[in-house]
Each structure stands twice: as C-alpha cells, then as structure tokens.
Amino acid sequence: MFDALRRGWHLRDIERRVALYGWTVIYVDGDEQSPTWAYSIGPPVGGQGGEIVMFDGGRDDVATVFEKAREEICSGQLVLEDGRPWLEDLGGRAVWRRVHPSQLASPDQWFAAAQALAARRGVVGRVSEMFQLVLPDGELRLPWEPGYDEALRARQPALWLPAVSATWTSPLARQALRLVAERGWHVVPIEGGPQEWAYTIGLPDSLGSPELITFGPARGVARMLETARTHIVDGRLRVADGLAWDGLGFPTCWRRVHESQVMGFQWLLLAKAHAEALAGERLTVEAYQMFAPDAAGRYPWDPGYDRRLRKLQPLLYEPLDLARKAGG
C-alpha cells in the first residue's frame, strides 16, 4: 500500500514540476547491476526537439548539461538529430543519438516514470521521441569507434540499438546480451555462489573462435578471459584441446568442453542462448575450459593432483554425469 502511495506522490510531483517549469529531469541512481542515468519529461519546446537521456553523470553534471541543452533548444541553436556532435568543451565529441523506439518501453525500464505518467494521462504507445547524449571516453573515443574504453561500456548503454528481448528478466542476463549486441562479445562473471566462474559470449561470430570458460573468483577470471580474447585477436592464442598456454604470466592448459556439459547444464547459458538466437534453432556451442595447475604443476587429469582443488575446477571435458552431480 505504501509503495503505491509513494509512486502516486512521485507522479503528482512530476506533474507539478512539468506544469510549473514546462519540463523536469528524472535522476536515477545506479547500483552494481545498473548505471546511473537521467532523462527529461516534457519537451523543452512545445513542438521541437524531444526528450533527452544521459548516462553516467553526477547530479550536478546532469543539471548543467540538461539546462544547457534546454537553453540551446529553446533558442534554436540546437536541433536534435541522430549523429549530431555537441559540447565543444569535450572536443565536440559528445554526440546525440536517436533512441530506438523499442527502448522506450523496454523491460529495463529506463523511462519508467515517463511511462507511468503517460499511463496516468491515458496515453498509449510511445512516450516521446528521445535522444541520448553519448559521451566519449578519456581519449575522446565514442562507443562505436575502435579502442573505446570497454570499462565504460556497461555504464553507458547504447539505447540507439534495439532493446534486448523481454524473454530475459535477469538484470545480469539483459546487460550481458545488450553488450554483446553492441560490441559483438562479452565476458560474463558468475559470482556470489559456492562456485564462481566466467565465460565468453559471441566469440564464434565475432572472431571465429570457440567460447572460453574458466573457474575461480569471478571478477578475476573474467579479466583472464578478456586477456585470452586479446591474444586470440592478435594471433598469439589459438585454443586447442590440451594446449599449454602461459599468456597470463603463469602456466595454464585448455581443454575442450564436452558437448553434454553445454547441452545438459548451464555453465554457458547465455553463450548458448545467443548462438541459438542467431541460428534460430536449438544447438550447442564449441567451448574450451582454461585450467590452472596445483602447486606442484599437476592438472586434474594428472596422477597426484591436489584433490582439494578438484571442486574448484569442474572437469567439463568429461561427459556430464547427472547422477554424480546430484549426489555431490
């Protein structure tokens, strides 16, 4: 009941601000799974421009940028167009992109307050035409240019691209598939459980390489797979079953994941889903697991391997044994 009351008060406050000022700005704080973003409600000028959205900015920065945009739209100095550069103090490298219509009602709910306000007013369909202000990285590169800082990509979703299918409700899954759609690949860290791992999505169609997977502290092994991908790109790594590799500064070995592990368990869930979505049918994916040796340099298939480490590195090169899995 109180949640409904709070939502009602919030919407009435938005309506009051729009009535008083002609528009308002909604600021949404981010968390570990979502970036920070802000968007306008109420076009700055009656029939001109459109509403605007911006990611990864502090409240003070957002207020400054949005007020500048409003002033320039009102004066006719700025006409929002897809691909138009803006903000000369950033080297003219900030760019306006037209938000894809599917993003306006996306399950990611980027514009939840605007949608709720439209529903309150009895408006059905698109909230408004929206434009995203896309910011460059520290080297003034934009997300669609080579060398863009990948650490920033998740903090600035590409809303000019179609929204991820509503089939996926998990924020982690939606973000991962959104990044694959934007750049062609992604590394997914699976953390928080008794067993952690990371795996790639999109390497077969972006590089012609198998997918990669490895186990360990999720964020750390995710960085290892990003390094492995870099070595594949520059030709220093061509994964194969039994291949010894020291590209991380210590010895590792790659083993081919058995097809039954891909089809029967969810180690590579999103990689398989992505491949199936591209193919339009149920299929498997080729994948290789990276193993680290024990302190004596032995691997799980070697005599004398440290058995305490076995549970940390499931043997995905073996056929899936559901009975053994159920029995622990």
Side-chain angles (χ1 to χ4, degrees):
M1 180 180 72
F2 289 108
D3 285 343
L5 286 173
R6 279 193 291 269
R7 286 194 296 269
W9 291 332
H10 182 52
L11 291 179
R12 284 195 293 273
D13 180 59
I14 292 173
E15 287 180 315
R16 179 187 61 79
R17 283 184 279 158
V18 172
L20 186 61
Y21 303 110
W23 77 317
T24 191
V25 176
I26 305 299
Y27 187 89
V28 184
D29 284 313
D31 54 31
E32 290 186 358
Q33 295 183 328
S34 299
T36 293
W37 76 99
Y39 63 95
S40 65
I41 293 181
V45 181
Q48 301 178 29
E51 294 176 7
I52 58 180
V53 59
M54 170 183 164
F55 286 87
D56 200 29
R59 288 181 182 270
D60 291 343
D61 293 333
V62 165
T64 299
V65 169
F66 275 54
E67 193 59 42
K68 179 177 176 64
R70 181 174 185 269
E71 290 175 358
E72 292 191 8
I73 292 172
C74 288
S75 68
Q77 183 180 351
L78 172 62
V79 177
L80 295 176
E81 298 173 327
D82 188 52
R84 177 166 182 161
W86 195 57
L87 291 178
E88 289 75 10
D89 55 348
L90 287 177
R93 295 294 285 163
V95 173
W96 293 102
R97 296 300 308 266
R98 189 187 306 273
V99 173
H100 194 277
S102 64
Q103 297 284 3
L104 298 176
S106 163
D108 288 307
Q109 298 188 322
W110 302 119
F111 311 110
Q115 291 287 358
L117 192 59
R120 182 183 177 89
R121 294 171 173 173
V123 178
V124 179
R126 285 177 50 180
V127 171
S128 172
E129 184 174 50
M130 300 284 297
F131 285 85
Q132 179 180 354
L133 181 62
V134 183
L135 303 177
D137 64 13
E139 300 297 324
L140 299 182
R141 289 176 295 229
L142 292 159
W144 49 86
E145 294 177 335
Y148 177 73
D149 186 349
E150 294 297 336
L152 301 179
R153 198 176 292 278
R155 291 158 48 185
Q156 186 172 228
L159 299 193
W160 58 92
L161 298 177
V164 172
S165 168
T167 302
W168 296 95
T169 57
S170 160
L172 174 65
R174 296 186 63 77
Q175 182 188 74
L177 295 176
R178 186 169 66 243
L179 291 172
V180 173
E182 182 175 347
R183 64 179 178 177
W185 67 279
H186 184 53
V187 177
V188 182
I190 305 298
E191 56 188 338
Q195 193 166 54
E196 297 192 352
W197 71 96
Y199 64 94
T200 62
I201 308 175
L203 297 194
D205 43 295
S206 65
L207 292 180
S209 164
E211 301 287 19
L212 311 177
I213 182 171
T214 191
F215 289 77
R219 297 291 172 176
V221 294
R223 289 191 291 271
M224 293 179 188
L225 293 186
E226 289 171 356
T227 299
R229 178 192 174 275
T230 300
H231 284 225
I232 292 172
V233 170
D234 62 24
R236 287 179 290 169
L237 172 61
R238 186 179 180 88
V239 293
D241 191 45
L243 175 70
W245 184 61
D246 62 357
L248 298 172
F250 55 86
T252 61
C253 186
W254 295 96
R255 296 298 307 269
R256 181 167 180 163
V257 176
H258 195 276
E259 181 178 346
S260 64
Q261 296 280 1
V262 177
M263 300 300 290
F265 205 62
Q266 304 305 325
W267 303 118
L268 295 132
L269 174 63
L270 295 179
K272 188 173 69 169
H274 173 67
E276 290 177 348
L278 291 178
E281 61 180 327
R282 188 170 186 267
L283 46 72
T284 187
V285 295
E286 183 182 0
Y288 283 78
Q289 180 180 358
M290 183 175 67
F291 284 90
D294 63 15
R298 294 171 297 218
Y299 290 95
W301 51 88
D302 293 328
Y305 176 73
D306 188 342
R307 299 185 63 86
R308 295 172 299 178
L309 301 179
R310 187 173 297 277
K311 287 188 177 181
L312 300 179
Q313 296 190 104
L315 310 183
L316 301 192
Y317 57 85
E318 294 184 341
L320 178 63
D321 187 337
L322 292 176
R324 185 172 63 185
K325 184 72 182 176

